[in-house]
Each structure stands twice: as structure tokens, then as C-alpha cells.
Amino acid sequence: MFKSLIDYATDDVIIRLLAKERGKYVSKKTGKPQHQSQDDPDIWGQLQAIMPPRSIWRNPGKRRRPTSGNNLRGIALWTRKKRLGASRVYVTILRELERGSQDSWAIELRKFIDRIHGYLDGSINLKFESPTIIAKFKEQDPDTGHFIYRPICKYTNLETKILLALSYNYLLYCFDDCFHRNMLFMRSARRTNQGWKTPNYLDAIRMTDQYRERNDNKLIFVGECDIQKFYDIFNHDDILACFEELFKIKKKRQKKLKKKDFDPIRRIVRAYLESYDYANKVMVLNDTPSFWAAEKRIHATPDNPDPVCRFKWVSEKSFVESRCYKSKEEFIQARDEGKIGIPQGGALSGIIVNVVMNVIDKGIVEPNDPDCLFVRYCDDILLMHTDRRKCEQYLDYYVKALTAHKLVPHNLVHVSEMKNGFKTASGFWHAKSKHVFLWGHGMNDSSDWVGFVGLEMRRTGEIRVRKDKVNSEAKRIAKTYYSVIKSNTPEERINSFNSLAGHFKDYELISYNRYTVAQAKRLDNYLKLKVKQACKKRGVDEPAELKTYCDTLIDMAYE
């Protein structure tokens, strides 16, 4: 049943979110609360003022305790400690508020909750601060040699974080049923044969495999289309229009709803968009030398003592020539008014993606074509059809729909131009958008493999890891090597090499086949080399046993 955001944001929901935020500051090692945070000093200070002191924390009952067990390792173990800390804070707050505590933290907490309600009902003016921009290295430009970064956005005001978390949970709760089923990014849990499960990118591979088996005796054609600088080019006016479309869908399903019922979430979305734009919050940093000082030190070499580190954007020419904007003047106006781009890393950005792309996908999913497979995970799509002409029509529609919503697609290229006989050249894997091609072994416009979100599937069903992900595994090995040789306790650190191969299990759908075995052997050769080099450099014994990627593949085959 639909609720307005005001009705959804009860005191209990707000307290749960605050307790969860406090749980994030539990120590990774001991599970005890940390008394300071190097990463988020602003949030930490704000939390201290409204959270109960450690000395009065209560243990939650068995029903409130997060799952435990000897099988928890690494991130799972740390996450449990954070969740347990959040549970302890939550039950303590409920107890203290129920007995009418007049401690300073309890008084400030009640004021905080009242302000949140005031922002939602409009009695307090809502304006989010601009997020802090964190530069995350992406790649080195092969043409210019520049080091290209992506901007990760971080909001450091506690009220803002809680309002965004509330809105995110609310949109999932009330509007998830308005999105088409094959959109797998940021969705609510669904009931399956294995219980409740949240959709993820692996479901796309499973759906592709089922489609492949269902059409095993037919030709299958594939269309691929990717969007340039995805988060960084969304138009704010278009986003708001797409939200109105979403509200219409909900209102059509529940006749009693009124336009004002959506006002609270409208206020949040507008304030979120007004807090950020790419041109005036990110691109201006390219002309701020102090912002890049630390990154330049990382990349500086004797041959390149002053490297160029920068953010990148779609060119003005591409915005206009793709017909996203009718003229250069229209684009410049939108840019200068701060109406282009959404915060990458912001709590609402993923939901905004779903709201806009749900409108764009409408022309493909609404015909309910049984011979068509269309799957989306964020900005990655998979389009398949047993009829080439229809596949081409859907792809053509999709490109036009993107530009109509002011999103710039990568130029479509012909697969036949990236073939060497029966083999696909490296350009095939680097191309972001491709004209319709045949999925299968052959010459001209055909490929035996299709890739989607980290994995590749052959027409005959084998699944392997995408090459760039294999390269990422090699980088993890190199990173571990440097951590060992720089460690003060190399004898202890040397065993960290044993945990690397287990990361292959994250690609749980890969099978034991000649392609994955070749990938595993390549990684194992590099792994053994770096272990040997590290031990020799630090004068320590090699591990008695070394868990390899091939071992992990075999374990996965027998599980």
C-alpha cells in the first residue's frame, strides 16, 4: 500500500537509520565502537551529539542479533560487527526514550528527528550542501598520457545522509513495482524458489543462458549500446519529468492518490539535483592545482615529473551532434544553469537511473515480445532477438530514446570491421556500442561470445571472466606483493597471498572449461612468481601451501 514520504518516515525508521550510521564506526578488528573517525570527522561529531554513550549500550535479544557462524570471514565478519553495533545502539535508544531520558544526547536526538519531519512536511526550508568530490583513478588516456579520474561524491552532513537514506528506502518500498522486471539494478528483494533474493547482475547471465537454451535451434542476434559518461550527463529537467511519469503510473494503479501525496519526495529529489552538477562542481577542479597535488605525486616519474591528472566529460560537439541538444546555445544554457549530471556515489543516484531508464526502455519491454530478451543492469544492457530485423528496430528505437532524454550513446560500430577471419580482433572487446550481430561462430558480423557486466558467454554455453576483470585480479596480486615487501612483519603478511584466489568465487557462474582454466593458469603463474619474489626479497620462507586460482575453479566445480 502506498504511503507518502511523511507517513513512511516514522520516528522508528529514522532511529533505525541513525543506529545503522553509528554502527559503521565499529572497529573492524575488535567490534568495539571507535571513539573517532579519520574518514568522516564531521559525521562522527554530529553522531556523538545525538547517540547514547558507549557505557549504557545494551545487548539486543537473540532475535535482533545478526547472523553469526564460523563461516564468516573478511567483509562478512566486519559487516556483522557493524550490524551488531547498530542493533545495540537501536535497542538502547528505544529503552532510553521510552523511559523519558533527559540526557543531553536524548534531547538533541528528539530535536534532530523533529527537524527531519520539518524538512519532509515543508515547514523547514530544504537545501542540501554540495557533496565533497573525491577523485578515483580510472585509467590512463592512451592518446594523451593523461591520468583520467572519476568523481565520487560524498555528503558529510548527517541530516542530509538520513534524508537521502529515507528517500532511497521509500522509493524502493513504494515504487519498485513500477519498474520493468528485467531491470536488475537497485531493486527490492523478490520471492524465489530459494527464498527472498535481491536481483543482481548474475541474474542477467542466468536469463541469457535460459534464453540461449530456449532458442538453441534458432539464430540469435545481439545489439549493444552504451552511454558516454553515464552519471555525468543526466539532465535535471528530464529527470524531474521522468519522476512525474513514475507518479502517474502509481496514481493510475491507486486511484485515490492525489498530486500532493508526492510533494515530499519531489522536494527531496529537487534539493538533491540542485546540490550538484558536473560542469560547475567537478570540471572546474581541473583548474585547481591544489586538488591534484597528492595524485600527481603518485603518478610522477623521472620521465614525467609533472603528470596531468584530470576529470573527463563528453565533448560539447558530441552533445550537439548526437542531437541530445538542438543547438550549442541550448547545451550551454543547461550547462551554465547547473542542470547536467548527478552525483556518482550519492544515495539517490541509482534510483534516479532506474526512473529515467524505465521510461527509455518502455518501447522495448511493453510489446512483451516472447522472442526478445532485454536486460538492464545500471547502464549496461543486453538486447537479443531471434529476428535480425526486429533486433535492429529495437536497437534503433533505443538509440533514439537515449538522445531524446539527452543521453549521449557511443557510436555504433560494425562487428565485421573488427574481425580477422573467424576471430574477433581486440577492437571488438573495446567497442562500447555495436550494430546488430549474429551470436555464434562465423565470419563477417558474428561473434562466438557476448559480454555482460564482468562475464562472457559463448553460444555453446561456456562462461568465462571478462579480460579486464582478469587483469584486475593480476593487479590485486601485485598490490599484495607490494604490501608484503613493505610490511614490518612479512612472515605474517606472506600468507595473505592465499586469500586472493578465493575472489574467483565472486564470479560464481563461471564453469570449469578450457577458457576459464587458461585464465586461471595465467593468474597462477603470476601469483607464484610474485610469491617467490616477495619471499626472496624479504628473506622469508614460502607458504607451505598456496591456494591457487585453479584450485578455486576445481572447488567451484564440485560445490
Side-chain angles (χ1 to χ4, degrees):
M1 179 61 67
F2 175 83
K3 296 180 180 180
S4 73
L5 182 54
I6 295 174
D7 296 330
Y8 176 83
T10 62
D11 289 0
D12 184 70
V13 169
I14 296 172
I15 291 170
R16 285 179 185 273
L17 289 173
L18 285 168
K20 183 179 179 181
E21 195 66 35
R22 178 61 182 87
K24 294 178 182 178
Y25 294 88
V26 166
S27 168
K28 294 182 184 180
K29 293 183 178 179
T30 65
K32 295 180 180 179
Q34 295 174 328
H35 296 290
Q36 60 182 353
S37 172
Q38 300 290 337
D39 297 330
D40 299 296
D42 294 336
I43 295 290
W44 172 253
Q46 295 167 62
L47 278 170
Q48 279 186 306
I50 62 173
M51 290 286 100
R54 168 73 181 83
S55 58
I56 66 170
W57 283 19
R58 295 170 58 88
N59 285 321
K62 288 185 177 180
R63 291 189 300 111
R64 293 188 186 274
R65 292 179 187 174
T67 304
S68 61
N70 296 327
N71 60 328
L72 293 179
R73 296 288 186 274
I75 294 296
L77 183 61
W78 177 33
T79 300
R80 182 187 181 274
K81 291 175 181 176
K82 292 195 294 183
R83 291 171 59 203
L84 180 58
S87 297
R88 296 183 70 193
V89 173
Y90 174 70
V91 297
T92 302
I93 291 174
L94 291 187
R95 175 180 175 273
E96 293 299 311
L97 293 184
E98 185 177 351
R99 70 180 186 84
S101 172
Q102 292 302 309
D103 291 345
S104 61
W105 69 266
I107 294 173
E108 292 302 317
L109 175 60
R110 293 188 187 99
K111 291 180 181 178
F112 183 95
I113 294 173
D114 289 342
R115 286 198 301 275
I116 295 298
H117 288 309
Y119 290 128
L120 297 180
D121 64 24
S123 60
I124 302 177
N125 183 48
L126 178 61
K127 182 178 177 63
F128 293 148
E129 80 284 2
S130 295
T132 300
I133 307 299
I134 302 169
K136 184 176 181 181
F137 178 65
K138 181 182 180 182
E139 63 189 2
Q140 186 174 11
D141 191 310
D143 298 323
T144 63
H146 295 175
F147 295 92
I148 306 301
Y149 284 74
R150 62 163 58 98
I152 304 301
C153 300
K154 190 173 187 178
Y155 288 89
T156 57
N157 181 278
L158 185 60
E159 290 181 352
T160 300
K161 292 197 75 171
I162 296 304
L163 284 167
L164 293 179
L166 270 172
S167 304
Y168 168 79
N169 292 338
Y170 168 74
L171 287 168
L172 276 184
Y173 173 79
C174 285
F175 294 94
D176 185 73
D177 61 333
C178 297
F179 302 138
H180 69 83
R181 189 169 181 80
N182 287 7
M183 185 182 286
L184 305 175
F185 178 67
M186 284 198 175
R187 301 297 301 271
S188 294
R190 300 171 181 173
R191 186 185 294 277
T192 67
N193 295 332
Q194 291 78 37
W196 287 93
K197 181 178 176 296
T198 302
N200 59 44
Y201 71 96
L202 293 175
D203 293 323
I205 304 299
R206 295 187 182 97
M207 293 165 67
T208 304
D209 197 32
Q210 293 168 2
Y211 180 83
R212 180 190 64 81
E213 291 181 344
R214 192 165 63 248
N215 296 285
D216 191 45
N217 60 342
K218 299 180 182 178
L219 297 177
I220 296 178
F221 298 92
V222 183
E224 296 183 9
C225 185
D226 195 55
I227 303 166
Q228 297 187 43
K229 302 294 291 178
F230 189 55
Y231 284 89
D232 307 330
I233 62 173
F234 276 91
N235 182 280
H236 294 183
D237 290 337
D238 186 74
I239 290 170
L240 295 173
C242 289
F243 265 96
E244 294 304 320
E245 286 289 320
L246 183 69
F247 299 152
K248 285 180 183 177
I249 294 173
K250 200 68 182 179
K251 196 171 183 301
K252 187 176 181 180
R253 295 182 180 183
Q254 297 185 28
K255 306 290 186 183
K256 295 182 180 180
L257 293 179
K258 299 179 181 178
K259 187 176 180 180
K260 67 178 183 179
D261 292 330
F262 304 106
D263 284 347
I265 191 63
R266 281 192 184 100
R267 278 193 289 272
I268 297 289
V269 173
R270 284 184 181 276
Y272 184 68
L273 296 178
E274 289 170 359
S275 73
Y276 176 88
D277 75 279
Y278 198 82
N280 301 301
K281 296 295 191 296
V282 176
M283 289 300 286
V284 293
L285 295 173
N286 285 343
D287 300 320
T288 309
S290 59
F291 181 83
W292 297 105
E295 300 302 324
K296 285 191 172 189
R297 286 195 294 270
I298 293 173
H299 297 295
T301 64
D303 294 333
N304 187 15
D306 188 27
V308 177
C309 300
R310 64 184 178 90
F311 295 116
K312 195 175 180 180
W313 205 24
V314 177
S315 68
E316 179 183 300
K317 182 179 178 181
S318 296
F319 275 117
V320 178
E321 287 189 351
S322 63
R323 298 181 183 176
C324 290
Y325 294 88
K326 296 177 182 177
S327 65
K328 178 180 176 180
E329 290 71 28
E330 183 187 12
F331 163 72
I332 291 175
Q333 181 180 355
R335 182 197 65 190
D336 293 347
E337 290 178 355
K339 292 188 174 183
I340 304 178
I342 57 177
Q344 189 166 349
L348 285 188
S349 294
I351 298 293
I352 288 174
V353 167
N354 283 355
V355 170
V356 176
M357 303 315 288
N358 192 59
V359 177
I360 292 174
D361 297 344
K362 189 185 302 183
I364 299 179
V365 298
E366 283 193 350
N368 199 23
D369 186 342
D371 295 321
C372 177
L373 174 68
F374 181 80
V375 185
R376 168 180 299 289
Y377 188 83
C378 194
D379 61 331
D380 286 324
I381 70 154
L382 194 62
L383 169 63
M384 293 185 170
H385 205 288
T386 54
D387 184 299
R388 178 189 286 272
R389 185 178 59 83
K390 287 188 176 181
C391 193
E392 289 172 344
Q393 288 175 349
Y394 283 133
L395 185 60
D396 183 58
Y397 158 82
Y398 183 73
V399 171
K400 290 178 180 177
L402 288 177
T403 56
H405 287 270
K406 304 189 184 305
L407 297 173
V408 185
H410 284 280
N411 292 328
L412 295 168
V413 296
H414 292 278
V415 171
S416 58
E417 297 173 359
M418 299 173 288
K419 292 291 292 289
N420 182 11
F422 286 95
K423 293 183 178 181
T424 51
S426 60
F428 175 86
W429 304 109
H430 295 143
K432 300 287 188 179
S433 298
K434 307 180 185 78
H435 283 286
V436 171
F437 62 92
L438 176 67
W439 186 18
H441 189 63
M443 300 181 70
N444 300 320
D445 61 341
S446 63
S447 173
D448 214 11
W449 295 86
V450 294
F452 191 71
V453 286
L455 296 175
E456 294 167 356
M457 179 179 286
R458 199 173 182 227
R459 183 65 170 87
T460 49
E462 294 95 338
I463 300 174
R464 68 184 181 190
V465 184
R466 206 170 67 191
K467 186 178 179 179
D468 64 329
K469 298 299 181 182
V470 176
N471 292 340
S472 296
E473 289 295 318
K475 290 178 182 178
R476 293 178 69 244
I477 296 172
K479 186 176 180 180
T480 303
Y481 165 77
Y482 285 110
S483 72
V484 171
I485 64 173
K486 294 179 181 179
S487 173
N488 294 326
T489 55
E491 297 87 353
E492 298 175 9
R493 290 289 301 161
I494 201 71
N495 287 318
S496 59
F497 281 108
N498 271 305
S499 64
L500 296 175
H503 195 240
F504 241 30
K505 290 189 176 181
D506 290 350
Y507 308 103
E508 59 184 70
L509 295 183
I510 60 174
S511 53
Y512 187 89
N513 57 65
R514 64 190 179 101
Y515 306 102
T516 52
V517 169
Q519 292 176 326
K521 285 182 176 179
R522 173 196 160 192
L523 289 170
D524 285 343
N525 289 337
Y526 187 59
L527 175 64
K528 292 173 183 177
L529 173 65
K530 301 314 285 185
V531 170
K532 186 175 181 178
Q533 289 177 345
C535 292
K536 184 177 180 180
K537 193 171 185 69
R538 294 307 307 268
V540 298
D541 295 331
E542 294 186 26
E545 293 184 7
L546 181 64
K547 185 72 173 179
T548 66
Y549 286 87
C550 283
D551 292 336
T552 302
L553 267 184
I554 293 171
D555 292 344
M556 292 171 68
Y558 283 98
E559 285 181 354

